[in-house]
Amino acid sequence: MMNKILIIEDEEAIAELEKDYLELSGFSVEIENRGDEGLKRALEGDFNLFILDLMLPGMDGFEICKQIRQEKNTPVILVSAKKDDIDKIRGLGLGADDYITKPFSPSELVARVKAHLARYERLIGSGLPENDIVEIRGIKIDKTARRVWVNGEEKNFTTKEFDLLTFLAQNPNRVFTKDELFNKIWDMESIGDIATVTVHIKKIREKIEFNTAKPQYIETIWGVGYRFKV
Ligand code: CA
């Protein structure tokens, strides 16, 4: 996915220079010349990073940064013409991720943009909980997505088939009686009996076993119940 960057900068030559370098590095870049218009665009668009000049017509970079932060965590790099501004940026606690003073080399800007995008992606990535996966030999069960793959091929399971398979796979090498399985997987109000378990095991085997007569995963322990082989 191409990263989109919004530059809010009133000095056209600088904006174009930044744009050229960023585009050469593979970014998609848009420019706004006014502060107020820029803020509007920033809040509406799906940008991955903002580069804000401080002194702008309509609204200054400080205010834009503050307002972006109220709605988004997207990285913001402030661009200042004066060294003095750095103290102000620090003091205001605007939530800017970085600042750079003019004149700067375009390659330095590109390097910082890349660093902030990478850091932000790591942050976002680590914020997403990973799917809960159970994997035993050729069987992969994604508990979060409720999907099952057998030797890489996805198979469809009904709710109870899925629950039963998952329960057995998560408790391998243990024998469960049909009564125990029925009580675990079906709630008290369910109509059915332990024969339901037998039917479901049969259906599951048809989907996961190469040869249902010689099951490799769910074994029948005669007179007792079932066991998931490790
Ligand atoms: Ca300016």
Side-chain angles (χ1 to χ4, degrees):
M1 192 188 71
M2 191 185 258
N3 278 304
K4 270 175 73 183
I5 297 170
L6 178 65
I7 297 170
I8 308 180
E9 169 67 69
D10 60 331
E11 285 174 71
E12 226 165 287
I14 291 179
E16 289 298 332
L17 183 70
E18 292 174 356
K19 184 173 192 268
D20 287 348
Y21 271 84
L22 290 165
E23 282 180 346
L24 278 173
S25 300
F27 298 109
S28 158
V29 181
E30 289 174 37
I31 297 173
E32 280 290 339
N33 303 120
R34 288 183 56 90
D36 43 4
E37 297 294 326
L39 174 67
K40 199 162 161 270
R41 188 85 168 273
L43 296 179
E44 286 169 359
D46 57 342
F47 295 98
N48 303 96
L49 186 138
F50 301 107
I51 298 172
L52 305 181
D53 183 28
L54 281 182
M55 298 311 292
L56 292 159
M59 181 185 285
D60 68 24
F62 294 112
E63 185 59 27
I64 297 170
C65 184
K66 206 172 88 187
Q67 294 207 28
I68 287 175
R69 272 296 162 269
Q70 285 170 4
E71 292 194 28
K72 292 173 189 276
N73 292 314
T74 313
V76 175
I77 299 177
L78 293 175
V79 176
S80 156
K82 292 179 288 180
K83 288 253 187 295
D84 303 350
D85 286 335
I86 292 173
D87 293 330
K88 198 174 169 193
I89 292 166
R90 286 189 183 128
L92 285 171
L94 295 166
D97 296 272
D98 205 352
Y99 45 82
I100 191 166
T101 46
K102 292 175 187 173
F104 53 83
S105 74
S107 54
E108 189 191 349
L109 179 71
V110 170
R112 293 207 195 180
V113 164
K114 284 181 177 171
H116 285 289
L117 285 171
R119 187 187 57 79
Y120 188 62
E121 272 159 24
R122 278 198 305 276
L123 198 74
I124 296 290
S126 64
L128 290 172
E130 280 187 18
N131 280 14
D132 195 353
I133 308 266
V134 179
E135 231 171 336
I136 294 190
R137 289 182 280 137
I139 297 185
K140 181 178 163 186
I141 303 168
D142 184 332
K143 290 175 66 188
T144 316
R146 294 185 71 90
R147 297 171 75 181
V148 180
W149 290 264
V150 180
N151 296 317
E153 190 188 336
E154 185 166 10
K155 304 274 180 171
N156 292 313
F157 290 81
T158 65
T159 307
K160 292 301 177 198
E161 287 167 9
F162 181 89
D163 292 343
L164 185 56
L165 171 64
T166 304
F167 177 75
L168 289 168
Q170 278 188 300
N171 298 281
N173 207 27
R174 277 181 61 186
V175 182
F176 293 95
T177 66
K178 290 175 188 175
D179 272 318
E180 283 173 325
L181 292 173
F182 188 76
N183 291 335
K184 285 274 180 208
I185 307 303
W186 282 266
D187 53 45
M188 303 298 260
E189 286 80 39
S190 292
I191 299 166
D193 52 35
I194 57 171
T196 312
V197 178
T198 315
V199 171
H200 279 74
I201 293 285
K202 184 172 175 288
K203 292 263 170 64
I204 293 169
R205 279 179 175 155
E206 284 166 6
K207 294 170 192 180
I208 66 172
E209 299 288 355
F210 178 69
N211 178 356
T212 52
K214 289 181 184 165
Q216 299 299 304
Y217 296 105
I218 301 174
E219 298 173 291
T220 301
I221 311 301
W222 293 108
V224 189
Y226 299 101
R227 178 175 64 198
F228 198 99
K229 259 167 101 168
V230 258

